[in-house]
Amino acid sequence: SRNSNFTLVFILTTILLDMVGLGIILPVLPDLIREVGHEDVARSAVIGGYLLFVYALMQFTFSPILGNLSDRYGRRPVLLLSLLGLTADYLIMGFAPTLVWLFVGRTLSGISGAAVSTATAYIADITPREKRSQRFGLIGAAYGLGFIIGPVIGGELGEISPRAPFYAAAAIAFLNFLFGLIVLPESLTMRKRRRFDIKRANPFGAIVALRQFPAILWLLAVLFLFALAGQVLPSVWNFFTIEKLEWTSSQVGRSLGYFGVLFALSQAFLVGPIVKKIGEGWTLIVGMFAAICAFLGLTIIDTYVGLYVCLTIGAFSGIAAPSISGLLSRRVPDNSQGELQGAIHATNSLTAIIGPLAATQLFSYFTVSDTAPFYFPAAPFLAAGISVTLAAAIFIPAAFRHHLFRKHAEGRVYETPPIANPGEISHRPSESKNEGDA
């Protein structure tokens, strides 16, 4: 409907601006740490790593909490409060007099940013099940564009002051809050809500609660291994290219920008047509195959052109994540979408805790350590390729067992959710075969 399309634009704009707000501070964060903490570059990098860890840990912890709260109280209040939280975070970091306040800001940002899972649940609410993979691809495109635009703006504002990008990010978040306050309707009706259960409102509780739905645990395992591999490129690409080809920061930035553009385009324009043609299961296989080829290619290629070829192939792996999200979303009823998206976001956040640390340690060991058996800076990419291969090995038999390779019919849902949980506050809505009611 017209209203659904309008709110979809708002949600995608919210995610885009959130990512712009996050990316806008990346170029100046080292300078701000040095200014506030009076530390040298090496120590500032260590502190920056801890700030990233705190942010990811809060995302991991609070994603299922906010997801469950949105299943109980609705998506709108959770989304609007998260935008206020991000506004406060950026102001705290912009005015921070000590390092402690930077950690306070990152903690608040991680909690507020966990509401991205609620935004995804909102899209699931207003989208027919057979079209969710396509719209989840639009979310990925918004992420990619945000990370392309944000650092460019942040770098320019950083020429004024290392604190200026934080003030700009706070303004963006607050303006988006005002926009949502005026135009954003609630997407989850009262009859589809369920009671809040603290036992389910934690990363592991949410996963355990979802085990009643067929194939969910298998798909979350696939998502974990695939997302873990995805952490490698942003974590060690700059170190790897400097080590192997002596690239400048400008060359590193352009290469990541090139990858980001292609990645965003693949999610925005390829996911829908490919899913419609071959189904979500086979689309996921194609995306994982592209990722395996790219990662393994990076382990043996060390030329300028070769690396760009690998980036091009790897960008098409962007069709995989929306396919996983689509498969997961189709396996649970509407009143569990917030809980599901919280579990998905918590899974991704867990990889953000583990992945960067593991990738950088592996790179360091095979590059400078005297105890390493041989010199192999590309070791993180080999590990990423193995991780995606394991994901495929788990997915394929599970997909045949649960009929995930079957193409869904237009306007029809093959998966039938089980009987509603005792904790629900309303009867489970009957499933409709009409696209507008799905």
Side-chain angles (χ1 to χ4, degrees):
S1 69
R2 181 179 300 176
N3 288 339
S4 293
N5 290 333
F6 184 75
T7 52
L8 172 65
V9 171
F10 170 79
I11 292 295
L12 292 176
T13 302
T14 296
I15 295 174
L16 172 65
L17 293 180
D18 282 351
M19 293 306 105
V20 169
L22 180 61
I24 207 172
I25 69 176
L26 293 179
V28 297
L29 186 59
D31 289 337
L32 182 61
I33 294 173
R34 293 169 65 186
E35 177 182 307
V36 173
H38 308 290
E39 303 283 357
D40 58 22
V41 176
R43 179 61 182 167
S44 296
V46 173
I47 295 172
Y50 285 125
L51 287 171
L52 181 61
F53 172 81
V54 168
Y55 177 84
L57 182 62
M58 292 300 101
Q59 291 251 308
F60 174 71
T61 303
F62 282 90
S63 287
I65 294 176
L66 296 185
N68 275 270
L69 286 173
S70 76
D71 283 339
R72 174 62 182 90
Y73 299 104
R75 319 296 188 204
R76 187 175 187 270
V78 174
L79 287 172
L80 293 179
L81 287 174
S82 73
L83 290 172
L84 282 181
L86 288 175
T87 302
D89 155 58
Y90 294 133
L91 289 177
I92 288 172
M93 297 192 71
F95 289 104
T98 64
L99 288 174
V100 172
W101 283 102
L102 293 183
F103 280 94
V104 171
R106 285 290 85 183
T107 299
L108 183 58
S109 179
I111 296 172
S112 301
V116 170
S117 60
T118 304
T120 309
Y122 193 109
I123 287 183
D125 291 339
I126 64 173
T127 304
R129 288 175 179 258
E130 67 275 1
K131 293 185 177 181
R132 286 178 182 170
S133 292
Q134 180 179 1
R135 287 192 171 180
F136 290 153
L138 295 178
I139 293 176
Y143 267 102
L145 289 175
F147 276 116
I148 294 169
I149 298 171
V152 174
I153 298 175
E156 295 300 320
L157 291 176
E159 296 295 321
I160 302 173
S161 164
R163 297 178 184 267
F166 292 91
Y167 304 144
I172 289 173
F174 186 69
L175 288 175
N176 204 26
F177 163 77
L178 294 178
F179 183 41
L181 194 63
I182 297 171
V183 305
L184 185 67
E186 178 55 59
S187 64
L188 189 67
T189 60
M190 290 298 298
R191 64 187 298 267
K192 291 184 178 181
R193 299 183 187 184
R194 60 179 176 80
R195 291 187 178 91
F196 178 82
D197 185 356
I198 191 63
K199 294 180 180 179
R200 301 170 65 160
N202 65 80
F204 303 106
I207 293 173
V208 170
L210 291 168
R211 75 183 186 279
Q212 61 182 303
F213 303 109
I216 288 293
L217 294 184
W218 293 109
L219 288 171
L220 286 176
V222 171
L223 175 64
F224 174 80
L225 291 170
F226 186 80
L228 185 65
Q231 295 291 334
V232 171
L233 189 69
S235 299
V236 300
W237 177 255
N238 50 355
F239 300 107
F240 173 76
T241 51
I242 291 172
E243 173 70 21
K244 292 290 291 184
L245 298 178
E246 298 182 350
W247 278 12
T248 65
S249 59
S250 177
Q251 288 174 305
V252 173
R254 286 198 297 267
S255 65
L256 289 175
Y258 171 80
F259 175 82
V261 169
L262 288 184
F263 192 85
L265 290 175
S266 70
Q267 293 200 322
F269 299 108
L270 294 182
V271 175
I274 294 177
V275 167
K276 186 175 181 179
K277 185 72 174 178
I278 63 177
E280 291 160 331
W282 288 113
T283 301
L284 174 56
I285 290 294
V286 172
M288 288 194 289
F289 180 74
I292 293 171
C293 291
F295 284 129
L296 295 184
L298 290 173
T299 65
I300 59 176
I301 296 175
D302 57 2
T303 64
Y304 187 92
V305 174
L307 293 186
Y308 267 87
V309 170
C310 291
L311 288 178
T312 302
I313 296 173
F316 290 102
S317 68
I319 65 176
S323 300
I324 300 177
S325 296
L327 287 169
L328 282 163
S329 178
R330 288 166 57 79
R331 308 296 295 189
V332 303
D334 292 338
N335 60 359
S336 291
Q337 288 297 324
E339 182 174 55
L340 170 65
Q341 298 304 330
I344 292 174
H345 201 58
T347 301
N348 286 324
S349 298
L350 183 60
T351 67
I353 295 172
I354 300 172
L357 183 61
T360 52
Q361 292 295 321
L362 198 58
F363 173 83
S364 177
Y365 176 74
F366 279 97
T367 303
V368 299
S369 176
D370 295 332
T371 60
F374 45 82
Y375 175 78
F376 189 42
F381 300 119
L382 177 61
I386 293 173
S387 183
V388 179
T389 302
L390 289 175
I394 292 174
F395 175 72
I396 292 174
F400 281 111
R401 187 182 312 118
H402 297 284
H403 309 290
L404 301 181
F405 285 131
R406 180 190 293 177
K407 269 184 63 178
H408 58 267
E410 185 69 23
R412 186 178 181 88
V413 177
Y414 280 104
E415 299 85 354
T416 301
I419 296 175
N421 298 316
E424 292 177 346
I425 63 174
S426 65
H427 296 291
R428 178 172 63 87
S430 60
E431 291 197 13
S432 171
K433 296 181 182 180
N434 295 323
E435 184 174 293
D437 296 331

